[in-house]
């Protein structure tokens, strides 16, 4: 029962912005887990949950691992300041940057931890990104362009 409850807690915090233990308790009750605040507190400690700042400026429970959206939000400043253009051919993406900015932009891309990106190489003003497939390259290029234009 404990493992199922803790798995549900991880699912809930991944899909909802939960600010308080009481809010988490209400969610758990909806799914048939009748728990006390003390049990939730122990689960939070055992799962090593932390509170992260959400995109709405509220502190919510998290595993502490950065969600892709949060990384993309933070990396957006780097992108807007450094990237000139994004294009792809087959499964390789080429990102043109202002001189000296490719390493910072590449580090931001690497921190996104996208499983469809096999690897990146940054020079002074260019990044090469190898993707699993041409479809992945097209999707990732579109996503990066969207970040750039946001």
């Amino acid at each position: 029962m404990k493992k199922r409850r803790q798995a549900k807690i991880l699912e809930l915090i991944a899909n909802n912005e939960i600010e308080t233990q009481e809010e988490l308790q209400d969610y758990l009750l909806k799914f048939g887990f009748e728990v006390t605040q003390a049990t939730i507190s122990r689960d939070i400690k055992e799962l090593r949950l932390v509170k992260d700042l959400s995109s709405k400026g509220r502190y919510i429970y998290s595993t502490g691992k950065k969600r892709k959206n949060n990384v993309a939000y933070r990396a957006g400043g780097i992108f807007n300041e450094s990237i000139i253009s994004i294009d792809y051919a087959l499964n390789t993406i080429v990102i043109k940057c202002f001189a000296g900015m490719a390493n910072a932009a590449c580090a931001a891309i690497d921190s996104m931890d996208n499983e469809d990106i096999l690897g990146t190489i940054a020079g002074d003003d260019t990044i090469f990104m190898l993707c699993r497939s041409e479809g992945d390259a097209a999707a990732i290029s579109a996503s990066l362009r969207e970040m750039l234009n946001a």
Side-chain angles (χ1 to χ4, degrees), residues 1 16 20 49 51 57 92 108-109 117 124 127 140 145:
M1 181 66 139
N16 302 282
T20 65
L49 300 182
K51 285 210 168 180
T92 303
I109 291 167
I117 300 173
D124 184 58
I127 300 169
I140 292 167
R145 278 191 211 99

Side-chain angles (χ1 to χ4, degrees), residues 68-128:
K68 290 179 185 177
N69 290 344
N70 287 346
V71 173
Y73 175 77
R74 286 191 6 237
I78 293 170
F79 276 60
N80 289 334
E81 297 298 321
S82 61
I83 294 181
I84 298 169
S85 68
I86 301 167
D87 204 354
Y88 75 96
L90 298 177
N91 65 332
T92 303
I93 299 173
V94 178
I95 301 171
K96 296 289 187 177
C97 302
F98 291 106
M101 299 298 290
N103 280 309
C106 192
I109 291 167
D110 288 342
S111 72
M112 291 178 194
D113 199 28
N114 186 325
E115 293 175 359
D116 296 323
I117 300 173
L118 296 174
T120 57
I121 298 173
D124 184 58
D125 63 356
T126 305
I127 300 169
F128 285 104

Side-chain angles (χ1 to χ4, degrees), residues 12-24:
L12 288 169
I13 65 167
N15 297 319
N16 302 282
E17 292 192 351
I18 299 174
E19 294 182 68
T20 65
Q21 290 183 7
E22 293 79 18
E23 193 177 346
L24 181 56

Side-chain angles (χ1 to χ4, degrees), residues 6 21 39-49:
Q6 288 184 347
Q21 290 183 7
T39 300
I40 290 174
S41 184
R42 277 192 299 275
D43 286 343
I44 288 170
K45 185 175 182 177
E46 287 176 19
L47 293 169
R48 295 185 175 157
L49 300 182

Side-chain angles (χ1 to χ4, degrees), residues 123-144:
D124 184 58
D125 63 356
T126 305
I127 300 169
F128 285 104
M129 183 183 317
L130 183 63
C131 301
R132 291 191 182 280
S133 69
E134 186 173 352
D136 292 335
I140 292 167
S141 293
S143 176
L144 292 174

